[in-house]
Amino acid sequence: MTRALNLARRGIALAHPNPVVGSVLTKNNRVIGEGFHVYDRCDHAEIVALKKTGKQAQGATLYVTLEPCCTTGRTGPCTKAIIAAGITRVVAAIHDPNPAVSGKGMAELRRAGIEVMSGVLEEQAQEVNEAFACWIQTRRPFVTLKTALTLDGQIAQRAGSVTWITSEESRSRVQLLRHQADALLTGIGTVLADNPRMSDRSGKPRRRSLLRAIVDSQLRIPLRSKLVKDSKNDVVVFTAQSLNSPKARALMRHGVEIFHVAAKSGHVDLHVVIEELGKREMPNVLLEAGAGLNGAALQAGIVDKMILFYAPKIMGTDGVPMADIPSRWFPKSPPLMNLELAKSGPDFVVTGYFRDVYRHH
């Protein structure tokens, strides 16, 4: 199953909006075939492994990171192919979170006389497909808030300034997070302060370009900003301003999409933003923003997961906090669960969840 999970990870950014899945076929204690899913090649991981194995699959055991599908979509049901190949045992890491499949694939295999088992390396398999699980059940993306901060919780020396806080190792890890994401979301404050490109610089292949999304109520994004200048129809600005304004038309001429959202208390409604990204089949959204949007996102309850890169440094009292939230919100602040701590060069990384996407819905 560890091998199957490693294969599944090779489908990251190549399988979206489908889940990443890996499979391994074994017989007489040796591997006879394996595969992983890539969206553009259509075949699911199990079918890739079966095609490589041919008649040898008779009497084999199939290890797969996600319950085999029993429905017909772009491809036929994997359960039928598994039964036809003469597989005698199927070991799945997790049930499919898709309500159309969940439990039904395993039940079909069991009815065909195949020995089935699930729950092997369950937690690792759930983490690999947590964004898919959220999106397939709710049609809303899985939102990860990532930020770099000092030990005393500051993200910059002063508003509007750029402050390098964490190490080269941590910055490399952030590129891998961007590679996993379908959309990168930020606020206009970050665009004005940093003039970022918001690109995936991991160097790894992806089947569709990273959507760069900006929340900009007043449409203040400069026409000379890097985002506007190198837009390849992969930049969308969510704004409360009219699409007929001269600024909106100028941005559209540069290939920037302007999406109008009705203002809520003078700001873009973040629930509408998230809903729209879900409609665009963006299961995985990475929020990399400043104190303003971080605070708004946390208060709106749209954040599922947080990844905090802490540098072993103290900033002092004049810095910018991680989230601009009034302290009266503290009693309502939900605790992060399932906390994990890891090192990243000289820094340390705290990862936690606000909800369990496999059980919450």
Side-chain angles (χ1 to χ4, degrees):
M1 193 59 84
T2 299
R3 174 65 184 154
L5 280 164
N6 286 336
L7 285 163
R9 290 183 186 103
R10 287 170 64 181
I12 286 172
L14 298 174
H16 290 178
N18 285 355
V20 294
V21 184
S23 69
V24 175
L25 277 166
T26 68
K27 195 173 181 179
N28 302 326
N29 289 325
R30 68 183 189 89
V31 172
I32 57 170
E34 58 184 33
F36 63 95
H37 176 56
V38 172
Y39 186 89
D40 291 337
R41 292 186 201 147
C42 280
D43 280 347
H44 289 182
E46 304 93 311
I47 305 302
V48 175
L50 286 170
K51 282 183 175 176
K52 286 179 183 172
T53 315
K55 290 192 171 66
Q56 261 192 297
Q58 183 85 31
T61 293
L62 171 70
Y63 292 87
V64 64
T65 58
L66 188 72
E67 174 182 9
C69 68
C70 56
T71 54
T72 301
R74 297 190 312 145
T75 63
C78 289
T79 47
K80 298 271 189 289
I82 291 165
I83 294 163
I87 301 291
T88 53
R89 184 167 170 255
V90 173
V91 181
I94 55 172
H95 282 291
D96 192 328
N98 183 350
V101 177
S102 190
K104 295 171 190 164
M106 297 300 258
E108 188 176 319
L109 296 173
R110 203 176 280 116
R111 281 196 301 273
I114 295 172
E115 183 191 340
V116 299
M117 180 181 172
S118 62
V120 177
L121 298 188
E122 185 176 29
E123 284 183 14
Q124 292 95 315
Q126 286 180 340
E127 186 184 353
V128 164
N129 277 311
E130 60 196 10
F132 171 77
C134 179
W135 178 73
I136 200 69
Q137 294 174 89
T138 65
R139 290 295 157 180
R140 142 185 118 60
F142 183 82
V143 179
T144 301
L145 188 161
K146 175 250 110 188
T147 195
L149 62 172
T150 57
L151 289 176
D152 53 346
Q154 318 282 311
I155 60 171
Q157 283 174 290
R158 62 184 180 280
S161 70
V162 180
T163 312
W164 288 112
I165 289 174
T166 49
S167 63
E168 196 60 52
E169 291 95 329
S170 294
R171 293 204 284 276
S172 295
R173 284 180 70 157
V174 169
Q175 291 306 320
L176 292 177
L177 291 174
R178 287 185 182 184
H179 180 64
Q180 291 170 19
D182 298 288
L184 190 56
L185 180 63
T186 198
I188 184 59
T190 299
V191 174
L192 294 174
D194 297 0
N195 192 18
R197 280 204 166 81
M198 292 173 66
S199 53
D200 170 6
R201 296 188 288 281
S202 66
K204 294 174 178 284
R206 54 186 308 136
R207 68 170 290 263
R208 56 185 185 185
S209 59
L210 180 67
L211 182 73
R212 298 174 289 172
I214 299 99
V215 175
D216 181 7
S217 303
Q218 305 299 318
L219 214 52
R220 292 187 291 151
I221 185 168
L223 292 170
R224 298 176 61 82
S225 64
K226 288 173 186 170
L227 282 166
V228 174
K229 284 169 118 175
D230 75 352
S231 171
K232 300 174 186 69
N233 298 313
D234 58 358
V235 176
V236 58
V237 177
F238 291 95
T239 186
Q241 299 301 300
S242 164
L243 301 189
N244 290 321
S245 71
K247 180 69 174 283
R249 289 205 297 268
L251 286 164
M252 288 189 270
R253 281 196 296 274
H254 279 81
V256 173
E257 182 190 351
I258 308 298
F259 190 94
H260 176 77
V261 180
K264 190 177 178 184
S265 310
H267 297 285
V268 164
D269 187 340
L270 294 180
H271 290 281
V272 175
V273 172
I274 293 305
E275 194 178 298
E276 177 59 24
L277 293 173
K279 284 178 188 166
R280 296 180 187 212
E281 300 192 333
M282 302 271 160
N284 195 329
V285 173
L286 182 62
L287 175 62
E288 282 192 53
L293 188 55
N294 283 348
L298 288 166
Q299 289 178 92
I302 63 166
V303 178
D304 297 284
K305 179 178 184 177
M306 285 181 77
I307 303 179
L308 308 170
F309 287 83
Y310 278 94
K313 300 170 186 170
I314 301 290
M315 175 97 51
T317 54
D318 300 328
V320 179
M322 188 208 88
D324 189 3
I325 300 177
S327 58
R328 66 175 179 274
W329 186 70
F330 179 69
K332 292 188 290 186
S333 173
L336 275 177
M337 304 176 294
N338 302 339
L339 288 180
E340 280 187 13
L341 193 59
K343 272 190 73 66
S344 177
D347 310 321
F348 67 93
V349 190
V350 176
T351 302
Y353 295 82
F354 285 120
R355 55 179 77 92
D356 183 338
V357 295
Y358 285 89
R359 295 183 182 87
H360 182 74
H361 306 297

